[in-house]
Amino acid sequence: ICAEGYINIYGRDITERKQLENALRRSAERYKSLAANVPSILMRYDKNLRVVYLSPRSAEITGIPVKDLIGKTNREVGIPKHLCDIWENAITEVFRTKQNKDLEFDFPSKGQTRTFYLKLAPEFGTNREVEHVLGISTDITKLKKIEEALKKSNEELERFNRAATGRELRVIELKKEVNDLCSLTGQARRYPLEFEKEKVNEKNQVRTT
């Protein structure tokens, strides 16, 4: 209340701020939905190798609730030591080099061994220092099985080709022997061999030139 007995009312337009808050909320909701539904596992580590964020799908693979992992290292929750060694070395390298790092590893899950492709990337702060390491881990078990099947098929095909080539060469040798015997006995050659035709053609070309 001012000296004259009037009440001063001040107003401020906060429309822009509310719009920004709503936009940020919608963005956070979209990110949360994406992280929950993407088939890969999303993660974030701090410099002490603690899990800062982990998408829900992780629990389906590890059998460990996400809430039990947040704020802890993989070692502290009982992840196999050899995997902790691999992951920690890779994460530490990203912090040190500020470069991406890719790796593959096998993980025991639900009574079977699954193969995962893990891509790690640095997350920079305002000072251009690496504050966190981000990761996305994708199950490539089916892909690896397909690759193994293709590799096996190629190996079998190569063995077959070598065997077929060997048999073909042996047949050619036998035909040549029969032709040689026919020549010795004054008989016409029984098997016209392609390589012999090529030699005749080459001789004819030489004569015509």
Side-chain angles (χ1 to χ4, degrees):
I1 300 175
C2 64
E4 291 80 5
Y6 296 101
I7 298 175
N8 293 328
I9 299 176
Y10 297 93
R12 186 174 60 179
D13 187 350
I14 61 172
T15 303
E16 185 176 350
R17 189 185 73 182
K18 295 299 292 183
Q19 289 175 343
L20 179 59
E21 289 176 352
N22 290 334
L24 289 173
R25 185 178 66 255
R26 288 193 299 269
S27 178
E29 290 173 352
R30 285 195 296 268
Y31 176 81
K32 184 177 180 180
S33 176
L34 175 64
N37 293 287
V38 71
S40 300
I41 301 172
L42 308 180
M43 63 201 74
R44 177 186 280 115
Y45 291 96
D46 65 16
K47 293 182 179 180
N48 294 314
L49 305 177
R50 292 183 299 232
V51 179
V52 178
Y53 173 81
L54 194 62
S55 59
R57 194 167 294 275
S58 169
E60 300 177 14
I61 303 301
T62 64
I64 303 173
V66 171
K67 63 181 180 63
D68 293 344
L69 279 158
I70 300 300
K72 299 179 182 178
T73 66
N74 290 304
R75 291 182 187 274
E76 291 174 336
V77 295
I79 298 295
K81 181 180 180 299
H82 73 282
L83 289 176
C84 291
D85 291 339
I86 294 173
W87 297 345
E88 289 175 1
N89 289 336
I91 296 168
T92 301
E93 182 178 339
V94 175
F95 272 114
R96 178 177 55 83
T97 64
K98 302 180 181 180
Q99 300 293 323
N100 293 351
K101 176 73 175 179
D102 301 340
L103 63 149
E104 291 184 10
F105 61 89
D106 292 330
F107 191 92
S109 175
K110 298 179 181 179
Q112 62 176 316
T113 299
R114 298 189 185 185
T115 301
F116 288 84
Y117 170 75
L118 174 61
K119 186 175 188 64
L120 298 170
E123 182 181 47
F124 296 97
T126 55
N127 58 355
R128 295 303 299 166
E129 291 298 320
V130 182
E131 290 188 350
H132 298 96
V133 168
L134 305 176
I136 177 168
S137 183
T138 305
D139 188 344
I140 59 170
T141 306
K142 291 182 179 179
L143 176 61
K144 297 299 288 186
K145 288 182 178 180
I146 292 173
E147 288 179 348
E148 288 296 323
L150 286 174
K151 181 180 178 181
K152 185 176 180 181
S153 296
N154 287 334
E155 291 174 350
E156 292 177 351
L157 181 60
E158 288 178 3
R159 285 196 296 269
F160 174 80
N161 287 338
R162 287 196 296 269
T165 300
R167 286 194 295 269
E168 184 177 352
L169 291 175
R170 180 54 182 161
V171 169
I172 292 173
E173 291 176 355
L174 290 174
K175 288 181 177 180
K176 187 175 181 300
E177 291 177 4
V178 171
N179 285 344
D180 291 342
L181 289 173
C182 289
S183 296
L184 290 174
T185 56
Q187 302 180 48
R189 295 193 173 193
R190 297 185 181 181
Y191 301 106
L193 302 178
E194 292 298 325
F195 71 90
E196 291 182 340
K197 288 182 180 179
E198 291 176 0
K199 288 183 178 179
V200 171
N201 291 334
E202 289 176 359
K203 290 180 179 178
N204 291 334
Q205 289 178 359
V206 171
R207 289 175 182 173
T208 55
T209 56

